[in-house]
Amino acid sequence: LVIRQAARKNHEIQHQASHDALTQLVNRKAFERRLEEAIFNAKETNKEHVLCYMDLDQFKIINDTCGHDAGDQLLINLSKLLDSKVRTNDTLGRLGGDEFGLLLENCSLANALEISEGIISLIKNYEFVWKDRIFPVGISIGLAHITNESKNIASVLSEADVACYAAKDMGRGRVHVHELKDEQVNKIHRELSWVANIETSLKDQRFKLYIQPIAPLDPTNKQTMFEVLLRLKDDDGNIISPGEYIPAAERFNLMRAVDVWVVAEVVKKIAEMQATNNSTPRLFVNLSANSIIDKSFCDYILELLQSYNIADYSICFEITETAAIKNIQQASIFMQELKNAHCLFALDDFGTGMSSFTYLKNLPVDYLKIDGSFVINMDKNTVDQAMVSAIHQIGCVMNIETIAEHAENETIMDHLRKIGVTYAQGYHIAKPVPIEELATIASMK
């Protein structure tokens, strides 16, 4: 009896060491050990295997909306669902958070694609119910082919992760295979290489700030405003588009360091102008989704404002509608604390979310930046005109000023004036210029 109890206890300890406590799936350490064996097997026997890297598409929304208990229950339910469908000789593991790994042994790439499509369909048809609410769930899958040419665990995991990111980048709820000649994968490799160099880029002063005017459409409005835009220079001095590195930097939680640098530079610029000028323009500063849920970042801004003693309402922070909606409670607290310190807030890309107007009631917003996709075709699309008008009317009722992005010609400007939109921003008004020109431009207005 004592021997049986000791054996059972030993088995339990071994199980706990190799399995995830929540889902009871194989944990990352044990999964990587199995992956290493598969790579060795491919080299020795010339057999092929496939690693599936799976990432849930709606997990964060459910977690933020319903709480961690709901998120945990969803992970448990999906783990059981997936485990019931995988082949007996395959390994399903939880790699962390809402990410899962599936090692398909002795499996061709074609067969792995078929299995992955089946998993996507399975998850798509699953409905998560929590307190009488039904939530749709999706999954994105990246595949890495394991052959006798595969290098090691790190490279195979990286290939599968990048392919999964490509699947999300292409619209989520799909499978993508890592192939060296794949344009989408190469794009993401480029993004990740920039991410790896973010700290170096900050140190080497490769980040540059530009400004673009936000012009009042009423000539009696004398408020001077500019949006601060972030640019990055590569080794050859070429300007890299933010779309090349910011999505990846946000995905890997690396934007906070950049946001810290941007806010500090902007505050210094305002303080510098205050020392030489009676009036300073209002500068709009973009914040990433990760920063607006970071209490320490909020405290950092408050300390910065106090130490430089900049004029009230000289900074307006821009946050995207998507980021605000995903973190509605934390975003609201962050915004209110900074509004108490006489900062302003603009909701960027407004109109693209499904429940824009509902969420708007809960956010202390001063400006709505109407998404440029509605504005850019206003000169030839009456539906877009109606959308812009509807957003502006909501802004009027809620005493929120509106800013139209992508005002690219005079016809669009005329439509905006007729609707009554407060401000416009776009190449028709002015292209971005280095922030060093701010004092000169502001003095001309």
Side-chain angles (χ1 to χ4, degrees):
L1 181 63
V2 173
I3 294 171
R4 278 203 305 271
Q5 286 176 339
R8 189 161 58 243
K9 187 67 177 174
N10 187 47
H11 177 74
E12 285 175 10
I13 292 169
Q14 287 180 339
H15 181 85
Q16 287 170 5
S18 60
H19 287 73
D20 175 57
L22 179 68
T23 63
Q24 296 306 308
L25 297 179
V26 167
N27 62 22
R28 189 179 187 104
K29 189 176 179 182
F31 187 87
E32 287 184 356
R33 195 161 53 241
R34 191 69 203 89
L35 177 60
E36 187 174 31
E37 290 170 5
I39 295 168
F40 178 78
N41 174 266
K43 289 179 185 295
E44 290 292 305
T45 65
N46 214 27
K47 287 181 179 176
E48 57 180 339
H49 317 292
V50 178
L51 170 62
C52 308
Y53 198 101
M54 304 182 286
D55 194 336
L56 299 182
D57 292 330
Q58 304 298 333
F59 180 71
K60 185 163 174 50
I61 292 173
I62 292 170
N63 223 15
D64 291 347
T65 307
C66 304
H68 292 293
D69 287 347
D72 286 351
Q73 192 57 55
L74 173 62
L75 292 174
I76 292 167
N77 293 0
L78 290 182
S79 296
K80 289 177 179 175
L81 184 64
L82 289 169
D83 199 33
S84 68
K85 299 298 179 182
V86 301
R87 305 178 310 177
T88 51
N89 62 321
D90 295 330
T91 306
L92 176 66
R94 184 184 178 200
L95 303 183
D98 60 340
E99 296 171 346
F100 297 86
L102 175 61
L103 180 59
L104 301 170
E105 298 193 48
N106 299 318
C107 183
S108 68
L109 204 50
N111 196 17
L113 273 165
E114 193 178 323
I115 292 169
S116 298
E117 291 290 359
I119 289 172
I120 286 169
S121 180
L122 181 73
I123 301 298
K124 191 176 180 181
N125 291 323
Y126 170 79
E127 289 183 334
F128 178 63
V129 181
W130 185 262
K131 294 182 179 176
D132 299 326
R133 292 180 67 186
I134 299 174
F135 295 89
V137 185
I139 198 166
S140 298
I141 303 177
L143 301 186
H145 198 191
I146 301 169
T147 67
N148 59 3
E149 294 182 0
S150 297
K151 293 178 184 175
N152 50 40
I153 295 176
S155 66
V156 172
L157 275 170
S158 175
E159 287 174 3
D161 185 30
V162 166
C164 183
Y165 183 24
K168 283 184 174 290
D169 202 43
M170 293 163 69
R172 301 173 183 269
R174 63 186 68 202
V175 59
H176 193 86
V177 182
H178 185 279
E179 296 172 359
L180 292 177
K181 293 181 181 178
D182 188 297
E183 188 180 329
Q184 192 73 22
V185 166
N186 286 338
K187 172 181 174 284
I188 288 160
H189 273 304
R190 287 196 303 275
E191 287 182 3
L192 292 176
S193 70
W194 281 116
V195 167
N197 290 326
I198 275 188
E199 286 187 8
T200 309
S201 297
L202 282 167
K203 212 176 293 177
D204 295 346
Q205 298 183 322
R206 288 191 184 182
F207 281 109
K208 303 294 177 187
L209 296 181
Y210 280 61
I211 50 163
Q212 185 177 33
I214 299 171
L217 291 168
D218 179 352
T220 64
N221 183 348
K222 301 303 179 186
Q223 178 67 58
T224 308
M225 306 196 304
F226 297 86
E227 180 179 356
V228 177
L229 303 166
L230 183 66
R231 298 290 183 262
L232 176 62
K233 288 191 176 182
D234 66 13
D235 293 335
D236 301 320
N238 301 313
I239 297 293
I240 305 300
S241 163
E244 285 284 316
Y245 59 90
I246 285 181
E250 287 185 334
R251 173 176 161 82
F252 291 96
N253 300 323
L254 295 170
M255 274 306 291
R256 186 189 185 280
V258 178
D259 284 348
V260 164
W261 179 81
V262 171
V263 173
E265 290 297 306
V266 169
V267 168
K268 288 174 195 171
K269 175 57 74 174
I270 293 172
E272 177 191 308
M273 289 190 70
Q274 279 180 186
T276 57
N277 211 333
N278 290 329
S279 62
T280 54
R282 180 168 297 155
L283 298 185
F284 283 58
V285 180
N286 292 278
L287 296 181
S288 66
N290 294 329
S291 292
I292 65 171
I293 59 171
D294 187 338
K295 178 69 169 66
S296 66
F297 181 67
C298 182
D299 293 340
Y300 170 78
I301 296 174
L302 292 171
E303 286 173 21
L304 207 58
L305 296 175
Q306 191 173 13
S307 62
Y308 280 89
N309 194 29
I310 67 166
D312 292 348
Y313 310 115
S314 53
I315 290 187
C316 178
F317 291 109
E318 282 192 35
I319 60 176
T320 65
E321 181 191 357
T322 309
I325 288 172
K326 278 185 178 177
N327 307 285
I328 187 80
Q329 287 179 318
Q330 289 157 303
S332 184
I333 293 166
F334 180 92
M335 292 167 74
Q336 199 55 62
E337 283 202 37
L338 288 174
K339 281 182 74 70
N340 292 341
H342 305 115
C343 295
L344 300 171
F345 276 89
L347 207 53
D348 198 11
D349 300 337
F350 190 78
T352 54
M354 290 176 65
S355 307
S356 301
F357 300 149
T358 306
Y359 284 107
L360 191 57
K361 291 187 292 186
N362 300 313
L363 294 169
V365 173
D366 304 284
Y367 299 97
L368 291 181
K369 296 196 80 174
I370 303 168
D371 189 79
S373 62
F374 300 122
V375 179
I376 199 164
N377 294 314
M378 278 182 72
D379 52 345
K380 46 187 176 286
N381 189 316
T382 54
V383 174
D384 284 344
Q385 291 171 28
M387 286 294 293
V388 171
S389 181
I391 293 170
H392 175 67
Q393 288 304 314
I394 289 291
C396 288
V397 170
M398 301 183 74
N399 200 29
I400 300 172
E401 293 188 315
T402 48
I403 301 169
E405 301 177 300
H406 289 302
E408 310 297 19
N409 59 52
E410 192 57 36
T411 308
I412 290 173
M413 296 285 282
D414 285 339
H415 282 300
L416 294 172
R417 288 188 192 100
K418 285 174 189 171
I419 289 169
V421 171
T422 329
Y423 297 91
Q425 181 181 358
Y427 276 23
H428 183 69
I429 298 160
K431 291 185 177 180
V433 295
I435 198 169
E436 287 76 17
E437 297 181 29
L438 177 61
T440 307
I441 298 170
S443 65
M444 294 166 58
K445 291 188 174 288

